[in-house]
Amino acid sequence: NAGVTQTPKFQVLKTGQSMTLQCAQDMNHEYMSWYRQDPGMGLRLIHYSVGAGITDQGEVPNGYNVSRSTTEDFPLRLLSAAPSQTSVYFCASSYFAGVGQPQHFGDGTRLSIL
Amino acid sequence: KQEVTQIPAALSVPEGENLVLNCSFTDSAIYNLQWFRQDPGKGLTSLLLIQSSQREQTSGRLNASLDKSSGRSTLYIAASQPGDSATYLCAVSEMDSNYQLIWGAGTKLIIKP
């Protein structure tokens, strides 16, 4: 019972590099989202998706792209890494955003930008 | 704009005590409120979800209450154990924001044996 799987768990990048954070869920959830967590702050929503082919911006979308070609996968792309993007990134999923279902989280990707 | 606050940022209590964690929000027009637990280096685990029409939810030694009119929620932990040590976060969901979660910064709880 895998739940939400994020890869990689750790990554160090140089400024200007690009990379993709992977997120996959095996629960047939429609709603998926990406958050970043910084020290002393709550989680902030980057992008979210209410189903395959549908994505939308959250609170802090700049510098990130997403796509949702399948129900299972929701990758997050950093276009040109900046030190301000050093953070812990979490992917979450739930059956549907509008019916009050609890969200399931992956274990996170710890990203450092040098 | 909705803001969610959790005070205190950290709390240390002896094992066996009952304790209350606080969560306040500025806009009462919420859809639901969730409490999560986060262990070091791990993701978040949903503990309790309270719909806006509900007053409380219970799961084992945990009880969460919701008072929308005052913009407050509490998480009550009975007979605390060292295994309860973690960071506890609350988040509210708003219909007007497409059910996005707005998060507090969390309370780091340490239960001393």
Side-chain angles (χ1 to χ4, degrees):
Chain A
N1 195 8
V4 180
T5 303
Q6 290 185 238
T7 56
K9 295 189 182 301
F10 302 93
Q11 185 71 47
V12 178
L13 292 178
K14 295 181 179 179
T15 297
Q17 287 184 316
S18 62
M19 78 161 294
T20 299
L21 308 184
Q22 301 292 343
C23 175
Q25 51 90 10
D26 61 358
M27 297 171 283
N28 202 30
H29 286 171
E30 291 293 327
Y31 186 86
M32 296 186 73
S33 54
W34 276 102
Y35 294 91
R36 60 177 289 172
Q37 185 178 35
D38 300 297
M41 302 180 67
L43 279 73
R44 291 183 291 169
L45 183 65
I46 304 171
H47 285 284
Y48 65 99
S49 169
V50 298
I54 305 170
T55 64
D56 207 346
Q57 296 180 351
E59 179 185 358
V60 289
N62 292 340
Y64 307 94
N65 272 355
V66 292
S67 60
R68 184 94 179 270
S69 57
T70 66
T71 298
E72 295 78 18
D73 300 299
F74 191 43
L76 177 72
R77 298 183 190 85
L78 277 70
L79 309 174
S80 177
S84 61
Q85 293 178 305
T86 293
S87 188
V88 182
Y89 291 84
F90 289 101
C91 179
S93 72
S94 64
Y95 278 108
F96 181 64
V99 294
Q101 295 291 323
Q103 294 201 11
H104 298 256
F105 281 78
D107 285 345
T109 294
R110 283 143 188 86
L111 182 63
S112 293
I113 314 296
L114 305 178
Chain B
K1 179 184 176 184
Q2 178 77 265
E3 293 183 1
V4 180
T5 304
Q6 292 184 251
I7 296 174
L11 181 64
S12 180
V13 300
E15 179 179 4
E17 282 198 3
N18 303 324
L19 60 97
V20 173
L21 304 181
N22 297 300
C23 173
S24 61
F25 47 95
T26 55
D27 188 342
S28 61
I30 64 171
Y31 183 68
N32 60 46
L33 182 145
Q34 297 183 55
W35 283 94
F36 292 84
R37 169 184 173 138
Q38 184 176 26
D39 293 288
K42 292 292 187 181
L44 286 76
T45 301
S46 180
L47 298 173
L48 291 164
L49 184 152
I50 310 176
Q51 301 288 6
S52 62
S53 58
Q54 297 175 319
R55 297 283 293 182
E56 65 179 337
Q57 282 285 342
T58 298
S59 176
R61 294 182 294 109
L62 305 180
N63 176 277
S65 68
L66 175 63
D67 184 342
K68 277 181 51 179
S69 61
S70 67
R72 294 181 61 186
S73 175
T74 62
L75 179 67
Y76 174 84
I77 302 177
S80 58
Q81 304 169 359
D84 294 330
S85 297
T87 297
Y88 291 81
L89 298 99
C90 69
V92 299
S93 172
E94 298 182 306
M95 287 183 283
D96 290 347
S97 300
N98 202 18
Y99 307 103
Q100 294 179 32
L101 291 178
I102 312 298
W103 295 80
T107 294
K108 183 176 182 179
L109 178 64
I110 297 174
I111 307 298
K112 298 175 290 186

